[in-house]
Amino acid sequence: MKRVLLASLVLSVPIFLYLRGEAPLPEMNVEEMPTHSEWMEEIQGKLKQNPNEAELWFQLGHGYLNEQDFNSAVTCFDYAIRLSEKPSANQLAAKASALYYVRSQQMTDDVQALLNQALELDKSNITALTLIANDHFISFRYQQAIDVWTQLLDSQQADLDRVAIIQSLNQAKLLSQQPK
């Protein structure tokens, strides 16, 4: 009797563990996550305590980009660049993006200069190359857009949205084949 009980226990525990699967992940309470406005207020509060924090200005600039307040984004990116010992490619490309929209999606000399500086620091900067490719695309320069998107894909950067780039690339290929 003890052997039968021991045998059934030895067999049933592994089977139970196998069949039960993974424990469910705890649910995140959506109410605990800050809203965009709360996040912006938090960053602004931190900047009041330390207005010389370049990274906070950079984050605030991105918040303004999300709100499509491009003039405020440019101002924040300016502060981030000025407060940095050496401006990063991401800072320069972010400012170029905000300025591009301030200038009504025109690739002005100052926008191009910022992009050139960013690409000198990081030839595969996602923000800079994406802005350049998108500008080519909306200006009907499909082959140039294809070339830049291909350069992005070839960069092997992990945080690249490959699906979106491939979709844009395929759309540009399709449009470039249409008669003019």
Side-chain angles (χ1 to χ4, degrees), residues 35-47 60:
T35 65
H36 181 73
S37 297
E38 291 169 341
W39 178 77
M40 293 283 286
E41 287 174 18
E42 181 182 334
I43 292 173
Q44 291 168 343
K46 289 178 181 178
L47 279 169
L60 188 61

Side-chain angles (χ1 to χ4, degrees), residues 19-174:
L19 293 176
R20 109 179 147 165
E22 295 288 321
L25 296 173
E27 290 186 27
M28 288 196 63
N29 188 352
V30 177
E31 294 172 9
E32 292 176 10
M33 295 181 66
T35 65
H36 181 73
S37 297
E38 291 169 341
W39 178 77
M40 293 283 286
E41 287 174 18
E42 181 182 334
I43 292 173
Q44 291 168 343
K46 289 178 181 178
L47 279 169
K48 285 179 184 174
Q49 294 171 6
N50 185 4
N52 295 321
E53 185 64 46
E55 181 58 31
L56 291 174
W57 283 108
F58 186 67
Q59 290 174 17
L60 188 61
H62 278 288
Y64 283 123
L65 273 181
N66 288 338
E67 293 178 351
Q68 298 184 3
D69 183 351
F70 303 117
N71 286 313
S72 295
V74 169
T75 301
C76 291
F77 293 136
D78 270 336
Y79 280 118
I81 290 168
R82 277 190 259 146
L83 291 169
S84 297
E85 189 174 312
K86 181 180 177 191
S88 71
N90 289 335
Q91 290 171 328
L92 296 166
K95 181 179 176 186
S97 296
L99 206 50
Y100 178 78
Y101 289 103
V102 166
R103 306 277 195 258
S104 303
Q105 292 181 289
Q106 297 296 313
M107 192 61 72
T108 60
D109 290 341
D110 47 352
V111 171
Q112 189 62 57
L114 287 164
L115 291 172
N116 290 342
Q117 286 178 301
L119 292 172
E120 281 177 25
L121 295 172
D122 176 7
K123 66 181 169 93
S124 298
N125 184 274
I126 294 171
T127 303
L129 291 175
T130 300
L131 178 61
I132 292 167
N134 289 338
D135 182 67
H136 285 315
F137 184 80
I138 67 169
S139 301
F140 309 107
R141 296 185 304 267
Y142 300 121
Q143 188 55 54
Q144 289 96 325
I146 291 167
D147 294 343
V148 176
W149 279 320
T150 301
Q151 180 183 348
L152 268 169
L153 289 174
D154 290 344
S155 73
Q156 300 299 320
Q157 294 197 39
D159 54 345
L160 194 62
D161 185 352
R162 295 190 179 297
V163 173
I165 291 175
I166 290 169
Q167 289 172 342
S168 297
L169 193 113
N170 287 336
Q171 187 178 11
K173 285 179 180 178
L174 183 66

